[in-house]
Amino acid sequence: MSHRRIVFAVFPGFQILDLTGPHEVFTQAGRLLGGSDAGPAVVVETVAARPGPVASSGGLAVCPTLTPEEVAGPLDTLIAVGGRGVQQACEDRDFVDWLARTSRRARRTASVCSGAFLLGAAGLLEGRRAVTHWSRCAELAERFPGVTVDPDPIFVRDTGGGGAVGDGRGSADGEVWTSAGITAGIDLALAMVEADHGAATARAIARQMVMFVQRPGGQAQFSTQLAAQRPGRPPLRDVLDWIADHLDGDLAVPALAARAGMSERNFTRVFRAEVGRTPAAYVESARIEAARRLIESTDGTVEAIARACGFGTAETLHRSFKRTVRVTPGEYRRHFAPHAS
């Protein structure tokens, strides 16, 4: 192909931002990259099962440019959006079968939010790692037991094992991307643009769209405090606030238990019951989150950030970062900090 053809699949009751956010990213890419005598560098289209306007879950309607029969020839990226109407769309066998067939001639296939259920119904997630909106991850795992559902990241890029990326074998053997809820679709689209056209182009689009930062796929769907259950006991709530304000201090169980006025054993038991994780896991998550913010927004050294966030040494931060974020602090900064070159 002389251009990258991006096709979004929509259905009645889709979530409008699942479409318009990523759609705008690719549209901006087309404007930035221009084209040649052979045509524009990026072409963005929408497809629905039937002709005519398609109403979103919020009432706004779009007019898809194509029906399935009109999506002829090769395409670069096929993206299924999500929304309240996804269950009914999954029951439309003709539409689901079309997704499965068309994915085979796409370089990669993707979903935004609950669009993962459409990919699952089409058999495109079998044996793969995937994500969807946090509230539906358990349902996705239950409905498609052959899928490894990871509820944490905002998007997942699974390159598969049947063929090399870009080898022309289609996404049935290559790449399948899935994203978490709604705005995460923008991050997914930016990551695709970066993979296709470089980090500078992706950052230029993020700036044009006035995004605070281009988030990596390993970014959690929630901050540590939002992800945790809010404890009912005032002493534990005070401890969580203390942790957030004293990440560089002593946050071991004995110190936290003393602050809560509880024995270590009782504190550990009650903390896990009310917060939903162990004190050590919560503290590490809070420290990683703070380190990410500093890496994204400052020029501080990894050593300085490690000390500020309570890791002590750069090596300890490196190990925790690699295990939880799946990249090193240096890689994270090179690819995702707004000021990275």
Side-chain angles (χ1 to χ4, degrees), residues 9 22 24 26 32 41 45 50 60-61 100 106 125 130 158 162 192 197 201 204 279 282 286 300 303 320 340:
E24 184 61 23
F26 290 113
L32 279 174
E45 299 171 308
R50 296 161 192 83
L60 293 175
L125 297 182
D158 189 306
M192 287 181 168
H197 307 291
T201 299
Y282 182 90
E303 290 78 7
S320 293

Side-chain angles (χ1 to χ4, degrees), residues 263-306:
S263 70
E264 294 178 28
R265 182 176 180 180
N266 191 43
F267 173 80
T268 300
R269 180 184 62 80
V270 172
F271 191 100
R272 183 162 192 168
E274 295 207 14
V275 180
R277 61 179 73 179
T278 66
Y282 182 90
V283 167
E284 181 184 42
S285 181
R287 283 172 165 163
I288 284 289
E289 183 182 331
R292 291 166 79 153
R293 287 198 301 266
L294 291 175
I295 291 170
E296 291 169 0
S297 60
T298 76
D299 293 317
T301 65
V302 173
E303 290 78 7
I305 291 172

Side-chain angles (χ1 to χ4, degrees), residues 231 233-241 260 262 267 270-271 274-275:
R233 305 186 187 198
L236 287 186
R237 290 200 298 269
D238 292 343
V239 165
L240 295 193
D241 292 338
M262 302 166 69
F267 173 80
V270 172
F271 191 100
E274 295 207 14
V275 180

